[in-house]
Amino acid sequence: MKQGIVYLVGAGPGDYGLISIKAIECIKEADTIIYDRLADDRLLDNARSNVELIYVGKASSDHTMRQEDINQLLVDKAKENKIVVRLKGGDPFVFGRGGEEALKLLENNVPFEVVPGITSAISVPAYAGIPVTHRGIATSFAVITGHEDPTKAESTIKWDKLATAVDTLVFLMGVENLPYITGKLIEHGRPADTPAAVIRWGTKPEQEVLVTTVGQAAHDVAVRGLKPPAIFIVGHVVTLRDKLAWFDNKLLFGKKVLVTRAREQASALTDGLAKLGADCIEAPAIKIVPPESYGPLDEAIANIKEYDWLIFTSVNGVEHFFSRLAAAGLDTRAIAAKVAAIGSQTANCLKNYGITADIVPAEFRAEGIIEAMESYIKPGMKVLIPRALVARDILPVKLTELGAIVNVPPSYRTLVGDTDGRELAAKLDKGEIELVTFTSSSTVTNLLSLLGDEGARLVTKAKVACIGPITAETCLTHGINPDVIAEEYTIKGLIEAITAMYREE
C-alpha cells in the first residue's frame, strides 16, 4: 500500500517560471496540494485533473487557516496515505514556517522532504535591478523578518549589531512595521540618508518599486499607499537600480492584456506576451468540446482510404481527428490521401503525428488554400475536412464548385467559455485592461456574448489586436475597429504585430 508523504515545496517569489524542476515533478505527482496566497495559480495547472486542492493563504491580519491547523492538516492528509504537496511562496525555510511544519510531521512519524524555492530576499531585488551584493559596495547581506512572532515579549533582533555591521539589509514582510524598523536602524547608527527601496509584488508584472531612504521610507510608503506583499531593502546597492533595472523596462511592462483563447491553448500567447512584460489576464471566451456525435467523423475515418485529399484548418481539427483515428485502432498508415494544412501551426501539429503537409498556403486562411489547391482538384475527387461544427462555408463551397465531393464532419465544437463576464466587464469599464487580443472570429462573438449588451462599447475602451483579417472583419461587423492586425496569421505573428504597435508609440 502506498505510504503518505509530504513535500514542503518552495514556489518561488511570484514569477511562475521561477520554480525548480523537482517542484513541478512533485506537483504532478500530488494527490493533495495545500497552497498559499503567494504561489502563482498557474503552477496548479501542472497537477492531475483529480488532485485535491486546499487553499490556506494568509494575508496580513487575514488568515484562511491558522498555522497550527495547517500543520495538523498536513499530518491528517499524509495519514490518508496521500502524496501531499505543501506549496509555499518563496522558500519553505526562509520565514516560511516550513520548519514548524516539518517538526510537526516528524512528531507524527510522517515522512517528508524539502524542495527549496527561490527566496524573495534575493530574487525580488534582482528583478528591480538591485543586487544584494556588489564589488566595492556591499560584501555582506542579511535577511530579517519584518514581522516577528507577536507572542514574543520583546524583539530578539539585535538592532545594535545589525544596523551597521551588514552592508545590505533585506526585510521580508516588513512594510506595515516600517516606522518601527527604520526607527530602530537610525537609533542604532544607520544614517537616515542611506538609500533604501520598497518593492511590492516583486518578479510579477504588477511589480512596484519605490526608491527612498531609511529616513523617508515610512512617509513615502504611506503617501504612495503601498501594501503587502512587499520587501524593504536597505543599502547603497539600491543606487545601482538606475543602471541595472531590466524587468520594469520591458516594452509591455505592467500593461494588462486580455487573452481570450481557449484555456488549453492560451499558454503560447500568454507566455509570449509575458516575456515582453505584459500582465496577462486569461479569460477564455471559448472552450473546445467534442461534437454532439462523433458518428459522421468516425464514418469518414472508416472509409479514409477513399479520400484523395485531407484538409486541416486548425490544430484542434488535427488533434481531434487523430484522437478518433486512434480510437478506431488506426494510425497514420491508414491515410493514403494528400494532406493540406491552413497555417504553419497546423502543419507543425501534423508533424507531431508523422505527417508533412503537401500544401501549406502562403496565406493562412481558406482563400489561400483554395488558390493553392485549385490546380490539384479534379472533378470527382473526394475531400475530407474535419473541422469545427460552425465555420466559414467558403472552403467546401469553392471545392464543390471545382467538382470535388466534399465531406465536412464536425470534429469539435466551440462553446462560450466559463469566464465571469460581469467581472470582466467591470475591468474593461474601469479602463483596467490595456489590450484585448482576439485569435479567431469565435473569440470575438463569444466575448461579446459574455459581456452582454454593452460588450462592443466596453471592448473599444481598450486597444484591440486581431490574429488576421477574418477575425478583424468579425470585429468590424460589431462596431469594433482593431488597432492592429497580424500580417502572419499565427500566435507568433500576433505577438510581433503587438510588439511593433507599441514600439511605434
Side-chain angles (χ1 to χ4, degrees):
M1 185 172 66
K2 181 176 71 175
Q3 183 182 21
I5 186 171
V6 175
Y7 293 97
L8 303 174
V9 176
D15 180 338
Y16 76 103
L18 297 179
I19 190 167
S20 69
I21 293 172
K22 184 169 184 177
I24 293 295
E25 289 173 348
C26 290
I27 291 171
K28 288 179 177 179
E29 189 182 0
D31 299 308
T32 300
I33 299 177
I34 300 170
Y35 66 105
D36 274 355
R37 169 178 175 243
L38 298 182
D40 194 297
D41 286 348
R42 283 173 290 185
L43 296 175
L44 302 178
D45 292 342
N46 294 286
R48 302 203 313 258
S49 59
N50 62 343
V51 71
E52 179 185 24
L53 298 175
I54 303 175
Y55 176 68
V56 294
K58 301 175 187 176
S60 180
S61 304
D62 182 16
H63 292 189
T64 302
M65 185 180 291
R66 296 184 313 131
Q67 184 62 48
E68 294 78 7
D69 296 329
I70 295 173
N71 298 347
Q72 187 60 49
L73 178 63
L74 294 173
V75 171
D76 294 342
K77 290 298 177 182
K79 289 197 170 182
E80 292 174 13
N81 296 316
K82 291 183 175 181
I83 297 172
V84 182
V85 165
R86 172 72 172 106
L87 190 61
K88 306 168 73 69
D91 179 272
F93 280 6
V94 180
F95 304 124
R97 306 190 75 171
E100 297 172 45
E101 293 168 351
L103 288 171
K104 182 70 174 181
L105 295 168
L106 184 66
E107 179 186 319
N108 287 271
N109 298 313
V110 173
F112 69 89
E113 291 186 18
V114 179
V115 181
I118 297 176
T119 173
S120 60
I122 298 171
S123 56
V124 168
Y127 267 57
I130 303 171
V132 293
T133 65
H134 187 79
R135 184 183 293 270
I137 297 178
T139 56
S140 61
F141 73 96
V143 182
I144 312 103
T145 179
H147 185 77
E148 291 187 83
D149 184 347
T151 63
K152 293 194 301 187
E154 59 183 26
S155 173
T156 55
I157 296 174
K158 297 177 175 57
W159 293 102
D160 58 328
K161 297 178 174 61
L162 182 71
T164 56
V166 180
D167 295 318
T168 305
L169 304 175
V170 182
F171 291 88
L172 305 186
M173 304 170 292
V175 173
E176 293 179 327
N177 293 328
L178 266 186
Y180 173 77
I181 292 169
T182 55
K184 283 293 184 182
L185 289 175
I186 293 170
E187 176 187 342
H188 291 283
R190 197 77 169 202
D193 62 357
T194 302
V198 177
I199 310 165
R200 184 172 191 263
W201 283 121
T203 78
K204 295 176 72 69
E206 52 263 60
Q207 173 176 294
E208 291 182 71
V209 181
L210 170 65
V211 175
T212 180
T213 63
V214 171
Q216 280 290 115
H219 172 267
D220 291 348
V221 164
V223 170
R224 181 92 157 252
L226 289 178
K227 303 292 183 185
I231 73 163
F232 179 50
I233 180 168
V234 174
H236 287 283
V237 288
V238 172
T239 61
L240 292 169
R241 171 171 163 77
D242 288 340
K243 295 179 180 178
L244 300 183
W246 60 273
F247 181 58
D248 37 10
N249 287 342
K250 291 188 173 187
L251 183 64
L252 300 185
F253 177 77
K255 296 185 186 298
K256 291 189 181 296
V257 179
L258 186 66
V259 175
T260 56
R261 292 194 97 193
R263 191 173 304 280
E264 59 271 21
Q265 297 176 325
S267 60
L269 181 54
T270 296
D271 291 347
L273 293 172
K275 286 178 181 176
L276 297 169
D279 181 6
C280 292
I281 302 170
E282 291 189 356
I286 65 173
K287 60 181 177 181
I288 308 299
V289 299
E292 292 182 352
S293 170
Y294 275 121
L297 179 59
D298 289 345
E299 183 179 349
I301 287 172
N303 299 297
I304 192 66
K305 292 189 182 298
E306 297 179 5
Y307 289 94
D308 300 288
W309 280 95
L310 184 53
I311 301 176
F312 292 102
T313 61
S314 69
V315 169
N316 288 316
V318 173
E319 291 179 343
H320 282 78
F321 172 83
F322 280 97
S323 173
R324 297 311 297 173
L325 189 72
L330 302 173
D331 57 28
T332 54
R333 292 172 295 178
I335 300 171
K338 290 188 178 296
V339 178
I342 295 183
S344 56
Q345 288 176 293
T346 305
N348 288 336
C349 186
L350 281 168
K351 287 181 179 179
N352 294 334
Y353 295 95
I355 290 180
T356 299
D358 297 282
I359 292 178
V360 182
E363 185 180 17
F364 297 168
R365 58 175 177 164
E367 288 83 350
I369 206 160
I370 291 166
E371 183 179 346
M373 293 187 65
E374 194 167 3
S375 61
Y376 293 94
I377 298 297
K378 307 299 180 188
M381 277 188 169
K382 287 192 173 183
V383 179
L384 178 64
I385 311 175
R387 65 177 194 178
L389 177 64
V390 178
R392 298 171 70 219
D393 291 329
I394 185 170
L395 180 56
V397 167
K398 289 294 185 182
L399 291 173
T400 301
E401 290 176 358
L402 292 171
I405 301 168
V406 184
N407 184 11
V408 191
S411 59
Y412 65 96
R413 292 178 294 155
T414 58
L415 303 181
V416 177
D418 299 324
T419 295
D420 186 336
R422 287 175 298 180
E423 181 181 343
L424 201 55
K427 288 180 183 295
L428 285 163
D429 202 31
K430 293 175 185 176
E432 294 179 3
I433 294 174
E434 164 79 18
L435 176 69
V436 177
T437 61
F438 291 119
T439 55
S440 66
S441 290
S442 57
T443 59
V444 178
T445 55
N446 288 6
L447 178 65
L448 294 178
S449 175
L450 286 166
L451 294 175
D453 295 340
E454 292 288 294
R457 179 188 67 82
L458 293 170
V459 170
T460 55
K461 297 191 79 169
K463 289 183 173 66
V464 173
C466 293
I467 200 167
I470 302 302
T471 304
E473 286 171 16
T474 305
C475 281
L476 290 169
T477 61
H478 292 282
I480 300 168
N481 190 21
D483 295 274
V484 63
I485 304 170
E487 293 182 6
E488 179 186 317
Y489 317 149
T490 63
I491 295 303
K492 178 175 175 286
L494 180 59
I495 293 170
E496 288 174 351
I498 291 169
T499 300
M501 177 178 68
Y502 280 104
R503 279 188 178 147
E504 290 173 3
E505 287 188 348

